[in-house]
């Protein structure tokens, strides 16, 4: 008959050990309670719990003040060393966390990295010794965040099926129509006007493997624009160069156009009236409860850059844009 394995011994609680050492050092439960900010009954209960777990008497209560027994003196010596190691462990973990904060991996979609990104990095320079910024498409960035290759990701899609990932809305921007300079197009009075635009110019699209391409396609279907498929690009530069050359028109955003602003004097930017699905939104993604408020700091800096720098510069170059073409949410109250 096989014997059952012995039950594992319950380890002493560190707080109980701290209470015991404090009683030994101060010579009084009342004084130990005052030092630790506990009640005297809590100190007494902690020591009784230790004695019960060890099945030993740790204090000689026949004398006043109570003094440690032989077993108590041995425990006090070892507990003092253990508590010192525990405190050192906490300090080392905190120091490691601070050291890790000296290097931050931030991923951003291309249009953000090329426009808002440099000013965000400059404003964050006091938060980290080294900040590494990677750019790419939203699907790639979210996977890198899940795989811990990134600490933060600034993306244009909030559909994250991972409860460990927190998301925070940074700002929003409206879709705009872009036409060659030589192609006269009147201001759109309604969203339906997009479907009534002259058909001789083909629609140049962002590719469907990009989030912006998928979002614009959903929007166009919603407003009834069924243009045939032709040129498709992942990036704004080649898309806008074709528009500037007179080969088609496109739907884009103020930030994307600002990224490729070398073409702005060769195109007409036409605001699109507000409609459902008429905006794309930027989100800050981070792992839940890992950065002690740094996500809020990044969000605040980003909105400040949008309001004070990027937004005014965009409106200066594209004066026909409505005030809400680039907008930030109200600041969160702590």
């Amino acid at each position: 008959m096989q014997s059952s394995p012995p039950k594992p011994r319950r380890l002493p609680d560190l707080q109980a050990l701290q209470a015991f050492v404090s009683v030994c050092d101060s010579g009084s439960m009342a004084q130990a309670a005052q030092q630790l900010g506990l009640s005297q009954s809590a100190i007494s209960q902690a020591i009784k719990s230790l004695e019960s777990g060890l099945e030993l008497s740790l204090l000689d209560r026949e004398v006043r003040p109570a003094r440690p027994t032989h077993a108590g003196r041995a425990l006090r010596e070892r507990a003092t060393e253990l508590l010192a190691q525990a405190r050192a462990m906490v300090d080392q973990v905190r120091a490691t966390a601070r050291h890790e904060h000296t290097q931050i991996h931030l991923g951003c979609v291309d249009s953000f990295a090329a426009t808002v990104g440099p000013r965000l990095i400059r404003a964050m320079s006091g938060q980290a010794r080294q900040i590494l910024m990677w750019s790419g498409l939203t699907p790639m960035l979210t996977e890198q965040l899940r795989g811990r290759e990134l600490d933060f990701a600034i993306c244009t899609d909030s559909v994250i099926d991972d409860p460990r990932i927190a998301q925070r809305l940074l700002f929003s921007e409206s879709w705009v129509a872009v036409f060659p300079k030589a192609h006269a197009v009147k201001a759109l009075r309604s969203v339906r006007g997009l479907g009534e635009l002259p058909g001789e110019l083909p629609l140049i699209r962002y590719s469907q493997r990009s989030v912006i391409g998928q979002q614009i396609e959903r929007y166009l279907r919603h407003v009834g624009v069924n243009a045939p498929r032709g040129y498709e690009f992942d990036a704004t530069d080649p898309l806008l160069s074709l528009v500037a050359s007179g080969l088609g028109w496109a739907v884009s955003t103020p930030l994307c156009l600002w990224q490729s602003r070398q073409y702005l004097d060769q195109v007409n930017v036409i605001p699109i009236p507000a409609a459902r699905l008429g905006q794309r939104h930027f989100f800050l993604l981070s792992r839940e409860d890992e950065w002690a408020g740094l996500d809020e700091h990044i969000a605040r800096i980003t909105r400040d850059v949008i309001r004070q720098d990027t937004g005014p510069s965009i409106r200066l170059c594209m004066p026909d844009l409505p005030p809400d073409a680039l907008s930030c949410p109200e600041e969160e109250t702590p």
Side-chain angles (χ1 to χ4, degrees), residues 149-319:
E149 296 175 64
L150 293 176
D151 301 310
F152 299 94
I154 295 176
C155 302
T156 55
D157 194 344
S158 65
V159 183
I160 303 297
D161 57 356
D162 190 334
R164 298 168 299 175
I165 303 297
Q167 63 184 34
R168 187 183 299 271
L169 176 63
L170 295 176
F171 64 94
S172 305
E173 58 176 349
S174 302
W175 305 124
V176 294
V178 192
F179 287 85
K181 199 76 170 180
H183 197 89
V185 179
K186 295 181 180 179
L188 299 173
R189 298 187 180 276
S190 71
V191 177
R192 291 183 180 179
L194 267 181
E196 300 165 1
L197 291 171
E200 67 270 17
L201 276 181
L203 174 62
I204 302 173
R205 288 175 162 89
Y206 289 95
S207 78
Q208 289 298 286
R209 75 177 192 141
S210 66
V211 169
I212 189 173
Q214 297 165 16
Q215 292 171 335
I216 290 176
E217 199 65 28
R218 285 196 296 267
Y219 171 73
L220 292 175
R221 285 199 301 268
H222 173 66
V223 300
V225 176
N226 297 304
R229 309 200 75 82
Y231 303 112
E232 295 188 10
F233 299 97
D234 282 340
T236 302
D237 265 10
L239 178 144
L240 207 57
S241 69
L242 262 64
V243 174
S245 300
L247 297 179
W249 68 286
V251 174
S252 189
T253 73
L255 206 63
C256 288
L257 298 182
W258 187 240
Q259 177 189 6
S260 302
R261 53 189 174 273
Q262 68 270 24
Y263 296 107
L264 284 179
D265 60 350
Q266 303 171 56
V267 300
N268 284 321
V269 179
I270 310 297
I272 299 174
R276 189 171 70 85
L277 305 180
Q279 289 185 314
R280 76 166 177 168
H281 308 286
F282 283 77
F283 296 88
L284 174 65
L285 308 181
S286 60
R287 287 183 293 278
E288 191 78 59
D289 299 328
E290 281 198 18
W291 288 94
L294 187 56
D295 54 346
E296 295 178 13
H297 185 64
I298 294 173
R300 186 166 55 253
I301 293 174
T302 299
R303 292 170 189 150
D304 286 345
V305 171
I306 292 293
R307 292 189 183 107
Q308 300 169 16
D309 183 89
T310 308
S313 298
I314 286 175
R315 291 185 182 93
L316 190 63
C317 276
M318 294 175 262

Side-chain angles (χ1 to χ4, degrees), residues 114-128:
T115 54
V116 184
R119 292 193 176 274
L120 172 61
I121 294 298
R122 191 180 309 156
M124 287 180 60
S125 60
Q127 301 296 314

Side-chain angles (χ1 to χ4, degrees), residues 118-140:
R119 292 193 176 274
L120 172 61
I121 294 298
R122 191 180 309 156
M124 287 180 60
S125 60
Q127 301 296 314
R129 178 177 54 81
Q130 184 180 19
I131 300 175
L132 305 178
M133 177 179 280
W134 299 350
S135 64
L137 301 177
T138 287
M140 177 187 74

Side-chain angles (χ1 to χ4, degrees), residues 89-149:
M89 177 192 69
V90 172
D91 291 341
Q92 288 168 6
V93 169
R94 286 175 175 167
T96 300
R98 285 194 297 269
H99 177 72
E100 287 176 353
H101 278 215
T102 63
Q103 185 179 85
I104 296 173
H105 294 80
L106 172 65
C108 311
V109 292
D110 291 334
S111 57
F112 183 97
T115 54
V116 184
R119 292 193 176 274
L120 172 61
I121 294 298
R122 191 180 309 156
M124 287 180 60
S125 60
Q127 301 296 314
R129 178 177 54 81
Q130 184 180 19
I131 300 175
L132 305 178
M133 177 179 280
W134 299 350
S135 64
L137 301 177
T138 287
M140 177 187 74
L141 295 176
T142 53
E143 285 307 309
Q144 289 174 329
L145 181 67
R146 285 193 181 100
R148 291 187 173 272
E149 296 175 64

